[in-house]
């Protein structure tokens, strides 16, 4: 069982930055691809970013490319989402997820490919 806890959300003005963190109860390297998703009020959950085991591969939604960066630490117990140039449309609850894989290069962009989810952290961007 993997427990994930997100932190770092908050209120920021448009154009500002936030760094989200996702702490894992287990070392996620060599077994888990990691991802970030978000869900705005009244909308479906959507993919934001994903990273493979050792961080060799990443994937981003078109809406955040060039503004957001996903990374994971050397001990591979945490994943981060650096969010720059934030826009009001980035307002959502952001969720961290872990997906089991035996291939080091795997990145998952679909929610049903992930096995474990955090509780989410609220990000609000004011105009």
């Amino acid at each position: 069982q993997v427990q994930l806890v997100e932190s770092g959300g908050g209120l920021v003005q448009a154009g500002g930055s936030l760094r989200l963190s996702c702490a894992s109860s287990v070392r996620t390297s060599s077994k888990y691809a990691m991802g970030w998703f978000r869900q705005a009020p009244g909308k479906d959950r959507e993919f934001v970013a994903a990273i493979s085991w050792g961080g060799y591969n990443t994937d981003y939604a078109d809406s955040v490319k060039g503004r957001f960066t996903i990374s994971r630490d050397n001990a591979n117990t945490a994943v981060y989402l650096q969010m720059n140039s934030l826009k009001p449309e980035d307002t959502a609850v952001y969720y961290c997820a872990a997906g089991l894989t035996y291939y080091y290069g795997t990145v998952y962009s679909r929610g049903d490919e992930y096995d474990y989810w955090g509780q989410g952290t609220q990000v609000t961007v004011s105009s």
Side-chain angles (χ1 to χ4, degrees):
Q1 187 77 7
V2 177
Q3 293 181 325
L4 304 172
V5 179
E6 302 94 338
S7 62
L11 173 64
V12 64
Q13 289 188 332
S17 298
L18 282 175
R19 188 190 193 212
L20 304 183
S21 298
C22 173
S24 171
S25 60
V26 301
R27 182 168 176 166
T28 53
S29 62
S30 79
K31 274 191 176 182
Y32 293 96
M34 303 295 293
W36 287 96
F37 288 74
R38 66 187 182 187
Q39 187 167 19
K43 295 187 177 181
D44 293 334
R45 182 180 61 195
E46 66 174 357
F47 168 73
V48 176
I51 190 166
S52 60
W53 278 4
Y56 302 113
N57 291 332
T58 58
D59 190 20
Y60 296 93
D62 289 343
S63 60
V64 306
K65 279 181 182 175
R67 299 189 299 122
F68 290 10
T69 303
I70 189 171
S71 61
R72 60 198 305 169
D73 68 4
N74 291 336
N76 278 276
T77 58
V79 177
Y80 306 100
L81 186 68
Q82 178 66 43
M83 306 186 296
N84 298 327
S85 302
L86 283 161
K87 305 175 181 180
E89 51 264 43
D90 294 318
T91 294
V93 177
Y94 283 71
Y95 297 91
C96 173
L100 182 64
T101 176
Y102 295 100
Y103 177 55
Y104 70 91
T106 297
V107 286
Y108 293 134
S109 60
R110 296 199 327 262
D112 61 4
E113 294 175 307
Y114 287 88
D115 303 290
Y116 301 100
W117 294 82
Q119 294 299 309
T121 185
Q122 176 71 47
V123 171
T124 303
V125 184
S126 63
S127 57

